[in-house]
């Protein structure tokens, strides 16, 4: 089976943001009028920037922004690696962990206590519902998938 693409078909692209600020996606949008030209060449099939909310089984290019900080990030990175022919790490958080990884020198329990108990005036508690479990260490994308 050939990977040859018909001349008139578009490259499929999926993007998502993991732990970070989503600034790299915002920078992508800052391409302004060049986005119109790009739209003739690609089809964004999954992204927080579009309505499609299900990652297709097969995607040409996947772009991940952010670091791997929790179980949900890990699952999403593994899913993108499995389904995307080419996977791109976009930005400092994706490449080296950046600001989210600043918690790595501390034990996870100490970080959680500081955020949810020590710095709270009323009803200090650790959220357990609707919040993905934090991983012990924040990792860049290549730290969890090739």
């Amino acid at each position: 089976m050939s990977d040859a693409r018909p001349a008139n078909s578009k490259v499929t692209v999926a993007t998502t943001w993991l732990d970070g600020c989503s600034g790299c996606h915002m920078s992508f949008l800052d391409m302004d009028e060049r986005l119109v030209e790009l739209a003739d060449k690609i089809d964004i099939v999954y992204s927080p920037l579009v309505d499609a909310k299900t990652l297709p089984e097969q995607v040409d290019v996947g772009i991940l922004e952010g670091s791997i900080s929790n179980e949900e990030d890990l699952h999403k990175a593994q899913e993108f690696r499995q389904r995307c022919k080419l996977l791109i790490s976009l930005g400092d958080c994706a490449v080296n962990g950046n600001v989210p990884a600043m918690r790595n020198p501390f034990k996870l329990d100490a970080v959680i206590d500081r955020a949810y108990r020590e710095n709270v005036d009323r009803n200090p508690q650790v959220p357990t519902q609707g919040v993905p479990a934090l991983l012990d260490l924040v990792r860049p994308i290549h730290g969890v998938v090739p």
Side-chain angles (χ1 to χ4, degrees):
M1 184 162 101
S2 172
D3 249 359
R5 173 182 309 285
N8 62 348
S9 70
K10 294 181 177 185
V11 174
T12 57
V13 176
T15 76
T16 199
W17 52 58
L18 306 173
D19 188 12
C21 68
S22 71
C24 294
H25 272 78
M26 297 305 108
S27 293
F28 177 76
L29 292 176
D30 280 343
M31 290 173 42
D32 300 322
E33 68 276 354
R34 291 174 290 181
L35 286 173
V36 175
E37 182 181 329
L38 186 60
D40 290 335
K41 297 175 174 51
I42 68 170
D43 184 15
I44 299 179
V45 296
Y46 178 89
S47 175
L49 305 175
V50 299
D51 286 337
K53 301 301 180 210
T54 302
L55 183 64
E57 291 295 321
Q58 187 70 46
V59 179
D60 295 319
V61 178
I63 302 171
L64 290 177
E65 167 190 349
S67 58
I68 310 298
S69 297
N70 61 48
E71 294 288 341
E72 187 176 292
D73 296 336
L74 178 60
H75 171 73
K76 187 61 72 175
Q78 291 169 336
E79 184 179 42
F80 262 65
R81 177 64 284 163
Q82 178 185 21
R83 296 183 184 191
C84 299
K85 292 179 188 174
L86 175 66
L87 185 60
I88 298 170
S89 296
L90 176 64
D92 288 340
C93 293
V95 173
N96 66 32
N98 206 12
V99 172
M102 290 174 69
R103 73 170 168 89
N104 283 352
F106 307 98
K107 295 205 177 294
L108 182 57
D109 288 342
V111 170
I112 290 172
D113 281 344
R114 182 81 171 149
Y116 294 107
R117 292 189 179 102
E118 294 173 23
N119 288 329
V120 177
D121 292 330
R122 294 185 354 198
N123 197 21
Q125 61 182 316
V126 177
T128 57
Q129 295 182 6
V131 179
L134 290 175
L135 300 173
D136 287 335
L137 293 174
V138 175
R139 295 191 177 118
I141 305 297
H142 67 273
V144 299
V145 296

